């Protein structure tokens, strides 16, 4: 069974600071890893998808890295803004298993 | 291009009743996934459909069931509702096994909030 852990559970930073969100998973035989954002009471918005053959993906101020051998991914958000306040979820898909396993998320608050 | 759409947005039922939730995937997507997100809990995988067939099922009782129609839309049925079924039900879609570009990326709808009284 794939276990996905996200640390810390919550994070509060002043505006402009860089954010570092961590995700670890127990089974390294993964197909891909996806980062999502969820606003309170809303659905999930896909941020970045990293295939198992990739080391990182970038989109604007977001950068996600993947170290499959150590079972870790890190999401970096540069120059945080109050609008970045949300819960960030990491999800991992095992090889030949199209079911995504989600972490519990990191709730981020960016203070103006 | 329309994203994943879910209906209804909110649904209130009483214990013992049945609830039906609907999902329309992104055009071209053949896989549909259902997840439950109860208050204070993480996303729990319910069901996965692809090309009209159930491909995988999470650890939920049989009163949670669903189906996928020929147009790839999907329906989730919850029978004999219990109080603990109150949750946000999220549907997601992706390209299926035959898709090459962006294979595996999931796109979620806004969810249906089910309240059981």
């Amino acid at each position: 069974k794939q276990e996905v852990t996200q640390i810390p559970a919550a994070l509060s930073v002043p505006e402009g600071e860089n954010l570092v969100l961590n995700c670890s998973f127990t089974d390294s035989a993964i197909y891909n890893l996806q980062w999502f954002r969820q606003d309170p009471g809303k659905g999930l918005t896909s941020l970045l998808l990293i295939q198992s053959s990739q080391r990182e993906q970038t989109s604007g101020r977001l950068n996600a890295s993947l170290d499959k051998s150590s079972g870790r991914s890190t999401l970096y958000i540069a120059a945080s803004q109050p609008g970045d306040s949300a819960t960030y979820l990491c999800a991992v898909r095992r090889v030949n298993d199209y079911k995504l396993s989600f972490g519990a998320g990191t709730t981020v608050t960016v203070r103006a | 291009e329309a994203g994943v759409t879910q209906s209804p947005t909110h649904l209130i039922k009483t214990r013992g009743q049945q609830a039906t939730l609907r999902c329309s995937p992104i055009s071209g997507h053949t896989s549909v996934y259902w997840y439950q997100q109860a208050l204070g809990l993480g996303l729990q995988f319910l069901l996965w459909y692809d090309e009209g067939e159930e491909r995988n099922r999470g650890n939920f009782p049989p009163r949670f069931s669903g189906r996928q129609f020929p147009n790839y839309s999907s329906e989730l049925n919850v029978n004999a509702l219990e109080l603990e079924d109150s949750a946000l039900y999220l549907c997601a879609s992706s390209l299926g096994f035959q898709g090459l570009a962006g294979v595996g990326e999931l796109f979620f709808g806004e969810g249906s909030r089910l309240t059981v009284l």
Side-chain angles (χ1 to χ4, degrees):
Chain A
K1 182 186 174 186
Q2 178 73 273
E3 302 282 348
V4 182
T5 304
Q6 291 187 248
I7 295 173
L11 187 60
S12 179
V13 300
E15 183 177 3
E17 194 164 297
N18 295 332
L19 288 164
V20 180
L21 308 179
N22 298 301
C23 171
S24 62
F25 46 94
T26 54
D27 185 352
S28 63
I30 67 168
Y31 185 75
N32 59 35
L33 183 146
Q34 197 167 351
W35 282 95
F36 294 90
R37 167 189 171 134
Q38 185 176 32
D39 293 295
K42 300 291 187 181
L44 277 65
T45 299
S46 178
L47 296 175
L48 290 167
L49 171 73
I50 310 177
Q51 301 290 356
S52 63
S53 58
Q54 298 175 312
R55 297 283 293 182
E56 66 176 343
Q57 275 283 14
T58 298
S59 175
R61 293 185 294 114
L62 306 179
N63 173 277
S65 66
L66 174 64
D67 184 343
K68 208 172 56 168
S69 61
S70 66
R72 289 188 300 187
S73 177
T74 302
L75 177 67
Y76 301 90
I77 303 177
S80 62
Q81 303 167 359
D84 294 329
S85 297
T87 296
Y88 292 83
L89 294 151
C90 162
V92 177
R93 184 171 301 178
R94 291 182 304 187
V95 172
N96 296 323
D97 181 342
Y98 279 57
K99 177 183 70 174
L100 276 180
S101 296
F102 281 84
T106 295
T107 298
V108 171
T109 302
V110 180
R111 309 185 303 272
Chain B
E1 180 182 317
V4 177
T5 57
Q6 292 187 243
S7 63
T9 306
H10 293 88
L11 188 61
I12 299 175
K13 294 283 187 178
T14 56
R15 281 171 50 188
Q17 286 189 312
Q18 178 196 37
T20 298
L21 308 177
R22 296 179 177 83
C23 171
S24 292
I26 290 172
S27 178
H29 286 187
T30 62
S31 277
V32 170
Y33 310 76
W34 287 96
Y35 283 84
Q36 182 196 64
Q37 188 176 37
L39 193 62
L41 298 178
L43 274 85
Q44 303 295 319
F45 168 73
L46 271 163
L47 291 159
W48 166 40
Y49 293 96
D50 183 74
E51 296 282 359
E53 304 224 353
E54 184 179 299
R55 297 287 185 177
N56 208 337
R57 183 183 178 86
N59 294 324
F60 280 83
R63 58 192 186 81
F64 286 83
S65 65
R67 54 180 171 165
Q68 186 178 33
F69 300 99
N71 66 354
Y72 305 116
S73 66
S74 178
E75 195 173 85
L76 174 69
N77 294 293
V78 188
N79 294 319
L81 285 166
E82 300 178 2
L83 296 178
E84 53 265 34
D85 296 333
S86 294
L88 181 66
Y89 289 83
L90 292 163
C91 172
S93 75
S94 75
L95 293 172
F97 290 114
Q98 305 306 317
L100 294 179
V103 170
E105 185 169 10
L106 252 63
F107 297 90
F108 280 81
E110 289 297 318
S112 292
R113 182 162 297 282
L114 172 65
T115 302
V116 182
L117 302 175

